[in-house]
Amino acid sequence: MTVTPETTAPILSIRDLSVSFLGARNSWTSVIEGLSFDISPGETVALVGESGSGKSVTSLSVMGLLDPATSRVEGEIRLAGHDVLKLDEAGMIRHIRGQAAAMIFQEPMTSLHPIYRVGDQIIEALTSHHPMPKAEARKQAIALLERVRIPNAARRMDDYPHAFSGGMRQRVMIAMALASRPKLLIADEPTTALDVTVQGEILDLLKDLQAEYGMAMLFITHDMGVVAEMADRTVVMLRGRSVEQGPTAEIFAAPREPYTKALLASVPVLGSMTGKPAPLRFPLVDMSSGIAGAALPLQSSPDMRAPILDVQNLVTRFDMRGGLFNRRVAQIHAVENVSFRIFPGETLSLVGESGCGKSTTGKSIIRLNNRSTGSVKMGGDELFALRPEAMRLRRREIQMIPQDPLASMNPRMTVGDALVEPFTEHRMGSATDARAKAARLMEQVGLTRAMLERYPHEFSGGQRQRVCIARALMLDPKLIIADESVSALDVSVKAQVVNLLLDIQDRLGIAFLFISHDIAVVERVSHRIAVMYMGEIVEIGPRAEIMERPRHAYTRQLIGAVTVPDPGRRHLRRNQQVKELKTPIRPLDFKPPARRYEEVSPGHLVMLEN
Amino acid sequence: MIAAILKRLLRMVVVMFGISVITFLIFFATPASDPAARIAGRNAAQETIEAVRKDFGLDRPLYVQYGLMMEKLFITRDLTSFANRGQQIVPTVMAAAPATLSLVSGAAILWMLGGILTGITAAAFRGRWPDKILMGISMMAVAMPVFWVGEMVNLVTQNRLHDTWAFSWVPALGYTPFSQDPGLWFRSMVFPWLTLAFLYIGLYGRMLRTGIIETYQEDFIRTARAKGLTGRKVLLKHATRSAIIPIVIMFGMDFGVLVGGAAVLTEVVFGINGVGRLTYQALKVLDLPMIMATVLYASFFVVVANAVVDLLCLLIDPRMRRA
């Protein structure tokens, strides 16, 4: 539904909003400065920007959810006729929160109260403003759950949040937000924590509900693909200021400001690799002009003679225990009969949704869990047969770059010590050698040697990931397992780190096992791609084959669900059926079916349906 | 459900068996603990001691002695003391148990109510003066030794101000069974209860306050506020219920340990002949049967209290019901 902003009064009007936070030593730091924008009834406005740009703070200011003791909000926020900043707490509760405006959040896993039934949480939202009999509230809550397309709504009312998947929990959150029939729905990164196929479902749902309820939406996201698909108008934010705002189509077609151009140029776009033979770096964007340079392809090509890693029939199963004597009652078939090879200088990507076994595969290879069977060969050695000490030496050749760099570093160790530790542990040289190498690597990953003396918390997210890359390189590995290594990074930083990984591959000929759910990035970096579903590889083959001629239904669904920064998709509906992602929990006597693969073109294998 | 109860019972038996064996072995490893010499009395002739040793079966292998003791304790229930000849162990412990139970249960009610009230109030007024005053008092309560507080209470209520209107109702020190005179029982227990509860109110209040404040950082509290719930509802229904779980778990431990005899200081100060005091006296004279009985009695209560707490936690937090 399109409403022209000129003819109706805006439902939300923000004028000159400034927010500052109380920092250390009683100093106020400004986080938002002079922000103004309007949202008309029924309109969707996206606030887009990288982390720290003040998007979420804006939404929390509208709801009055910032702690008054540590934050100062100035300017004017008018929401549905109320001057929000002049209302007291009681006024906010009476008129704004769960009344004129409702909000959904990024983390559906933690945003619902874990110890109340979902039905009761929705009923609470219904009755807190409009007292009604219990039976009536229950009926309305069931209707809301049906509205957000939760199967068996009436029965699931009495389930607790932990019995729902992430996507289902986000639906519950949406149902709760709709309870008050809000005029404005604020969605703060509502799909960021969800899998692509689930993200598609939730975006579809939000579009449908917006049409049904005629509500305005303030959509906060860092994902340009989501912006293009959802927003009528877009406000681009940078360090607490609005850089550019206007109709989404115009912003995407002709961005005026350098930052907007840079942001758009950094977005990995699915399908941009068609016809490109080698992995491609992201174009370097000049932040002052916003002009993108040329994208350099990977120079070296993999050496396809002998594999560096040969995984055959890898199986990892975890026990589920229960009952009187804590016996095994079932098994989770986390990785089932997975086989692949990686060649020197090659990048093989494992893609799939959360719980599909891609991370477990990475961990099983280097024996980080001892529950795996099968064969993993590296340089003639069977890794699963090595003695612990021999395995320890082998680990030198396989390094990992983690998803969360901060969590993977000891906060009480300087970065320099963290880099030197594995080098001296493997007795690769003297302490002076180690320091010299650490300093050289810091420069190679785009940091300075002076930073070796710093602690992990003194770095930004992107810098920390660079440190982790330097740490992995300290041992001259032949293979790097990158487990969602760029997923948590902002778009522009993500582009830089991906380029760095490709630089390293070019220079050192390292092979990568790139584990990711981000298919647009995977398309950019991979030579070959393996698609995993419920612990099994359903399709594996050269990148161009998988992306351009996917054969397996799941691969198609996965690629189709990716958002594309193209405002032409504004009215797209995927119309997927709602389903919950299953976990491969099997009874103890379960015999996995024998799978057969068809080679549809050289190296492109597709699992056949049994 | 039945499986869960059976599992707990089994675990209880294992724990109590382990404790009894350890107690038994430690006793025989203790120097100068020869029970025969104790039973025979001071300056007994060597022949007398040997005769006693044979009489009481103390010359038989340890595992036989252990088995005999367990049989006398649990089956024939006629185990007698090594120190006080003829004193029957089981009736003595059974007589001491009600005193300890009255003391600890009453105090537990007080400290749970007081602790929760303190914690919630302090968290609600976080950083302002009610919080500061409550936390100051709590710190004092935790810091002051219970026997000192007890003696001070006695000094005021039994001595200095005993003859004024305020404290003339306080009976003399000692325990009166409930069955004998409920009124007197209650009046004699008021100050022991308050004294024992004081420490725990401080401890629990501080813990609950921290828990509630931490819970306020959770995403689901933000959701509750965004729904438009009143501050009171957010505090009581959403924050406190999550924060109370560690308190309940700690309560189980503390209650079990106190009923088992850890309230000995309070018992001694207020002249209550409870289990704690019994254990202490048995330890002084190295009276193995009495030590064994009180230790097993204590471990029983700790295990039972823990099982009850586990069940309570299942009621409070549905996530624990999985598996």
Side-chain angles (χ1 to χ4, degrees), chain A residues 63 65 93 97-98 105 107 110-116 121 124-125 128-129 160 162 173 176 323-324, chain B residues 3 6-7 10 219-220 222-223 225-231 233 237-238 241-242 316-319 321-322:
Chain A
M63 298 293 274
L65 289 176
I93 289 168
R97 289 183 212 147
F105 300 97
E107 285 295 341
T110 55
S111 290
L112 288 168
H113 203 302
I115 63 182
Y116 290 104
Q121 297 191 48
E124 190 180 36
S128 67
H129 294 283
Y160 289 93
H162 64 70
M173 283 296 290
M176 211 150 76
L324 182 50
Chain B
L6 280 177
K7 212 154 112 184
L10 193 74
D219 287 347
F220 57 77
R222 188 182 54 188
T223 307
R225 295 185 61 207
K227 272 201 283 201
L229 300 188
T230 56
K233 240 187 175 161
K237 196 173 160 192
H238 287 255
R241 185 158 159 190
S242 309
I316 298 175
D317 191 342
R319 281 170 303 176
R321 275 172 231 171
R322 267 181 304 181

Side-chain angles (χ1 to χ4, degrees), chain B residues 79-226:
Chain B
L79 189 63
T80 49
S81 165
F82 283 178
N84 307 315
R85 294 201 80 162
Q87 185 188 26
Q88 294 259 326
I89 299 296
V90 178
T92 315
V93 174
M94 285 304 155
T100 305
L101 265 174
S102 320
L103 171 67
V104 177
S105 315
I109 292 168
L110 280 180
W111 94 59
M112 277 312 263
L113 290 177
I116 289 171
L117 204 65
T118 307
I120 292 176
T121 317
F125 289 96
R126 180 187 176 189
R128 282 177 280 160
W129 63 266
D131 177 28
K132 285 177 185 159
I133 290 173
L134 279 172
M135 284 307 101
I137 296 173
S138 305
M139 196 64 195
M140 276 163 48
V142 177
M144 286 189 297
V146 67
F147 55 86
W148 183 81
V149 175
E151 286 299 354
M152 289 308 111
V153 167
N154 280 344
L155 186 71
V156 171
T157 61
Q158 300 286 344
N159 193 334
R160 295 299 157 89
L161 300 178
H162 184 69
D163 295 328
T164 64
W165 58 270
F167 296 116
S168 53
W169 56 270
V170 181
L173 293 182
Y175 173 75
T176 315
F178 182 81
S179 51
Q180 212 169 52
D181 182 350
L184 190 60
W185 171 81
F186 184 83
R187 278 185 285 137
S188 69
M189 291 309 282
V190 167
F191 282 102
W193 283 338
L194 286 172
T195 307
L196 185 58
F198 190 47
L199 158 75
Y200 288 96
I201 289 175
L203 215 56
Y204 282 44
R206 291 183 76 84
M207 251 184 72
L208 185 60
R209 171 188 179 270
T210 316
I212 292 176
I213 289 172
E214 268 168 21
T215 309
Y216 263 88
Q217 308 297 318
E218 298 278 354
D219 287 347
F220 57 77
I221 296 293
R222 188 182 54 188
T223 307
R225 295 185 61 207

Side-chain angles (χ1 to χ4, degrees), chain A residues 522-544:
Chain A
V522 162
E523 188 191 26
R524 202 99 193 168
V525 302
S526 312
H527 293 97
R528 288 190 300 132
I529 296 174
V531 182
M532 287 189 74
Y533 178 65
M534 301 252 302
E536 296 175 296
I537 291 184
V538 295
E539 187 164 9
I540 181 168
R543 185 251 309 157

